[in-house]
Amino acid sequence: MEWAHGIARRVASLLPTWFTVDDLTGPVEIALLERAASYDAKRGIPFRAYAGRRIAGACFDSVRRKEYAERAHQTTEGLQAVSALPSPEAQAESHEQVRVWAQVQQLPPRHALVILAVYGGGMTLETLATKVDVGSSRLSQIHHEALRMLKGMAA
């Protein structure tokens, strides 16, 4: 449970200040219990890997529901429900992208190029291999090395 609450704290730190960890605690606990009930250790997937994304997703789902409920309430009172602020999901995603792209810049040039082309430019490894005149197997190796380096930076 403490691990799931840690996820809620991390997500809350990415959100505007009007969202608190308390807003996320209930949904996180429910998501954790649901994942625990459906977990099958025979599949060979660690529980935290299996449950982590769903727990974080439960946080964002809760934020989204709260935001929509507040907007609907404002609309029924005749107030404008238009907000110039980006959604909590967009803010968290933007924060995460800035962090990841800063790490990509620390990679060797070939590795950074592969990550930027594939994840920033939507290019497939096959297409990129023909453009940079490298074999697809070597490009795949560079891609895996780059992901391993990024994972090491995040740890």
Side-chain angles (χ1 to χ4, degrees), residues 71-86:
R71 286 182 182 170
H73 179 70
Q74 289 174 346
T75 303
T76 59
E77 291 181 359
L79 299 175
Q80 290 289 344
V82 178
S83 173
L85 295 174

Side-chain angles (χ1 to χ4, degrees), residues 42-66:
K42 294 176 188 170
R43 294 176 129 178
I45 300 170
F47 178 74
R48 288 185 178 195
Y50 174 74
R53 284 186 186 246
R54 179 61 203 121
I55 291 169
C59 292
F60 290 115
D61 290 345
S62 174
V63 167
R64 189 179 307 111
R65 279 192 300 275
K66 182 177 178 180

Side-chain angles (χ1 to χ4, degrees), residues 97-109 111-117 119 146 150 153:
Q97 284 177 346
V98 167
R99 187 181 67 77
V100 169
W101 292 127
Q103 292 174 339
V104 168
Q105 291 174 346
Q106 296 174 14
L107 294 174
H111 293 72
L113 172 69
V114 170
I115 294 298
L116 291 172
Y119 298 101
L150 287 171
M153 289 178 194

